[in-house]
Amino acid sequence: MQNENFSPEDSIRVIQAMIEKTKFTVADNSYYFLLWGWLVFIGCIGQFVLKVLVQYPYHYLIWNITFIGIIFSIYHGVKGRGQKKAKTYVSESLDNLWIAIVVSYILFDFAFVRFGWEGCYTFYMMLYALGCFVTGRVLKFYPLIWGAIGSWCLALISTFTPIDYNILLCGLAILISYIIPGHLLKRQYRKLDMHV
Amino acid sequence: MFKDLDPILHSQLRLAIISLLIGVKEAEFNYLKEKTNATAGNLSVQISKLKEAGYIEVVKQYKDNYPQTICRITPKGRKAFEEYVEDLQTYLNSRK
């Protein structure tokens, strides 16, 4: 670290390199996308099979799998808190966004219990799109943005299709907005992390 | 032109530390070590110099029974960094 050989051009290079490195600190959000993406996808396909094909009256019990998601999310959150070496403003903003979305999911469920579950998949798809769109824009990660736009389109389509088939539309929405972008995000993070 | 550049920041490792801290809310010592590829000893010395200048604040605490050093940039450090970047721009423009 000899200052006499440290030119202003070197300063610019150091600043650029370090700012580039902090960018990757926020990128690994793929765990929750993949966990919840696959759980909801399995739930949608499972409920469609039980309700439409098997005509099982307690088809909604499939959604007990969300408890697996809650347990793993809490475990990962608590474990990750100790491992986080830096807090970024972007990560903190995204954390707050997803907390707001989870609260909205819960309140929607209370509303659906009271007013009926007919339109629930349309609202769920809109919430998937909301979270993915903002996250995609903040991270400048286009698969999330396209997934969100796709989910909004499917939410619109679901207002015209039979309710039972909206379960499948919801499964498709989670596939394009959580699962596929989640895998791509994980791959990108691993690729970038090797160069950091 | 070199005289105009802040001597505290015109050092490769100290500038690297400040450039990292400008992009995050706070960072652990190990994060800074990992990103700058510096040795723990050298990093420690440069962090102390930045702290003495009032450019960063350092919090030492225990987490899960392990010592943890957290660094964050202060408003004074942020202002100094912005002025340093402006001085660099002036220098580079004068060379065109």
Side-chain angles (χ1 to χ4, degrees):
Chain A
M1 302 296 157
Q2 296 301 311
N3 288 356
E4 55 266 29
N5 296 325
F6 190 52
S7 70
E9 286 81 2
D10 291 332
S11 297
I12 296 286
R13 273 192 287 275
V14 167
I15 293 168
Q16 281 175 338
M18 292 303 122
I19 289 175
E20 197 63 25
K21 285 184 177 186
T22 58
K23 273 188 191 172
F24 306 146
T25 308
V26 299
D28 194 14
N29 293 299
S30 60
Y31 178 86
Y32 295 105
F33 280 110
L34 291 176
L35 172 68
W36 284 101
W38 281 113
L39 278 178
V40 174
F41 185 75
I42 291 165
C44 288
I45 301 298
Q47 191 180 19
F48 182 79
V49 170
L50 291 174
K51 188 179 182 189
V52 179
L53 303 181
V54 181
Q55 296 186 335
Y56 179 62
Y58 303 109
H59 52 83
Y60 49 84
L61 291 177
I62 186 83
W63 289 110
N64 283 330
I65 59 167
T66 54
F67 288 110
I68 298 171
I70 293 167
I71 292 164
F72 276 90
S73 294
I74 292 170
Y75 174 73
H76 191 260
V78 170
K79 195 177 132 205
R81 188 175 282 181
Q83 288 177 340
K84 265 186 190 171
K85 290 178 181 172
K87 276 186 194 170
T88 66
Y89 295 104
V90 168
S91 296
E92 209 168 61
S93 306
L94 289 179
D95 287 349
N96 286 326
L97 167 75
W98 285 100
I99 287 169
I101 287 173
V102 169
V103 171
S104 302
Y105 273 121
I106 295 165
L107 292 182
F108 268 137
D109 286 346
F110 275 102
F112 295 140
V113 168
R114 170 76 175 78
F115 302 114
W117 292 87
E118 284 76 19
C120 68
Y121 297 105
T122 305
F123 286 94
Y124 289 151
M125 283 187 270
M126 289 195 296
L127 280 183
Y128 302 155
L130 173 70
C132 292
F133 187 78
V134 177
T135 305
R137 292 289 293 178
V138 169
L139 297 180
K140 294 185 175 63
F141 189 67
Y142 288 94
L144 275 173
I145 298 170
W146 287 114
I149 292 168
S151 285
W152 272 320
C153 292
L154 290 169
L156 179 66
I157 292 167
S158 72
T159 59
F160 301 103
T161 49
I163 289 160
D164 285 348
Y165 287 90
N166 287 353
I167 306 170
L168 286 181
L169 290 181
C170 190
L172 183 59
I174 207 83
L175 181 71
I176 61 170
S177 62
Y178 276 48
I179 298 173
I180 294 171
H183 279 290
L184 294 173
L185 193 63
K186 189 176 179 181
R187 201 172 66 177
Q188 193 199 39
Y189 179 77
R190 282 186 176 168
K191 203 168 90 184
L192 294 172
D193 199 40
M194 283 191 294
H195 299 291
V196 173
Chain B
M1 189 54 63
F2 280 102
K3 285 174 193 168
D4 295 333
L5 292 171
D6 184 340
I8 301 287
L9 292 183
H10 197 61
S11 140
Q12 191 171 338
L13 185 51
R14 288 197 293 271
L15 183 61
I17 296 165
I18 286 286
S19 303
L20 284 170
L21 291 177
I22 204 99
V24 300
K25 194 178 176 188
E26 59 184 36
E28 267 187 39
F29 182 87
N30 285 338
Y31 175 86
L32 297 173
K33 185 170 169 281
E34 189 185 299
K35 299 291 181 192
T36 58
N37 289 324
T39 62
N42 195 6
L43 185 62
S44 236
V45 171
Q46 305 310 326
I47 283 175
S48 298
K49 285 185 181 172
L50 287 168
K51 189 187 165 195
E52 280 166 25
Y55 289 180
I56 65 169
E57 57 181 25
V58 179
V59 178
K60 289 181 188 286
Q61 59 188 37
Y62 280 88
K63 194 169 197 178
D64 301 328
N65 294 322
Y66 287 99
Q68 188 189 37
T69 304
I70 305 272
C71 302
R72 53 178 89 92
I73 195 165
T74 61
K76 188 182 174 186
R78 193 172 290 276
K79 192 166 179 288
F81 180 77
E82 284 165 3
E83 282 173 3
Y84 182 83
V85 171
E86 273 173 31
D87 291 342
L88 276 180
Q89 281 170 340
T90 308
Y91 170 77
L92 293 171
N93 287 338
S94 70
R95 287 186 60 191
K96 279 181 186 171

